[in-house]
Amino acid sequence: MNVIYSLLASRQMLALLLLINIFGTAYGYYWYGSQLENTPAIFLAFVPDSPTASLFFVFVLLGFLLRRNFGLMEALAIMTLFKYGIWAVAMNLMTFLTTGSLPWEGYMLMASHLGMAIQGVLYAPFYRIKPWHLIVAAIWTIHNDIIDYVFEMMPIYRDLLVYMNSIGYFTFWLSILSIFVGWYFGYRKKRTTLSIIH
């Protein structure tokens, strides 16, 4: 395990992940382009869920490379990376079960979003999250569900529109699980903690 974390903490790995997450974030905002064009300005920050999650992690990685911890970004990253990573995998699986097929982009999205969820948790020993970071990130996470399912700004999966109420319910409880994951791996007093050493 120490070997794995030594690799994760290396500048080479951090720089590689930074580039991957910058590319993924840019592609994610591009993917949301048509929806953002039709989104009222007041909701723009809350619509592109996954790219915003990976953007939080970009700031986390930049902090590590600068030998600093941005606790609020770490709290936001672990919760939202886990939430939207798992959510996208679930939605694509549901699309496959509903339609009987999935385009290659769907499999790519499943792999990349599963990677998002994993990386957020893998780096948790390096996080230095304070209580207020946890509270703000939890509020953001729940608030995003309200924007998505009360104001109907959720990501568009046309084959699943008929299931929107059930998806909204699932997403709420996934948010609660994500907040727990953020607390358990990123803040809990008895958790494993490590430092980035360069």
Side-chain angles (χ1 to χ4, degrees):
M1 190 62 73
N2 288 336
V3 174
I4 293 173
Y5 280 112
S6 295
L7 176 63
L8 290 175
S10 69
R11 291 188 70 83
Q12 294 84 353
M13 179 60 74
L14 292 172
L16 176 61
L17 279 177
L18 178 62
L19 289 175
I20 291 171
N21 278 274
I22 288 173
F23 174 79
T25 299
Y27 176 78
Y29 283 117
Y30 169 78
W31 188 86
Y32 273 94
S34 59
Q35 186 173 352
L36 290 173
E37 288 176 0
N38 299 306
T39 298
I42 193 172
F43 297 130
L44 284 175
F46 305 101
V47 169
D49 299 320
S50 295
T52 300
S54 59
L55 180 62
F56 291 144
F57 197 60
V58 164
F59 287 111
V60 171
L61 293 169
L62 282 172
F64 290 164
L65 286 167
L66 295 171
R67 302 178 187 178
R68 295 186 59 186
N69 284 92
F70 300 135
L72 179 57
M73 291 294 108
E74 292 165 1
L76 286 165
I78 189 172
M79 287 184 199
T80 58
L81 285 173
F82 181 84
K83 174 183 175 181
Y84 295 115
I86 299 302
W87 188 91
V89 171
M91 291 306 104
N92 280 281
L93 283 175
M94 192 172 175
T95 298
F96 177 78
L97 292 173
T98 301
T99 66
S101 64
L102 195 65
W104 70 267
E105 294 93 343
Y107 295 102
M108 180 193 73
L109 286 171
M110 283 175 42
S112 61
H113 281 74
L114 184 60
M116 281 174 50
I118 291 171
Q119 71 178 356
V121 174
L122 266 182
Y123 275 90
F126 302 109
Y127 300 160
R128 299 297 181 265
I129 296 172
K130 296 178 180 178
W132 76 267
H133 300 148
L134 207 65
I135 292 168
V136 170
I139 291 171
W140 173 279
T141 302
I142 297 295
H143 180 255
N144 217 91
D145 291 342
I146 294 170
I147 298 300
D148 280 354
Y149 296 99
V150 174
F151 294 95
E152 298 184 345
M153 295 290 125
M154 60 279 191
I156 298 170
Y157 280 75
R158 300 191 188 282
D159 294 315
L160 303 180
L161 287 176
V162 68
Y163 303 113
M164 270 303 126
N165 288 340
S166 298
I167 291 171
Y169 185 73
F170 163 76
T171 305
F172 169 77
W173 285 108
L174 181 57
S175 292
I176 299 301
L177 176 60
S178 301
I179 293 167
F180 173 78
V181 166
W183 168 81
Y184 187 87
F185 291 103
Y187 176 75
R188 184 174 52 101
K189 289 184 179 179
K190 292 184 179 180
R191 72 190 181 98
T192 300
T193 56
L194 299 168
S195 296
I196 296 287
I197 301 173
H198 303 309

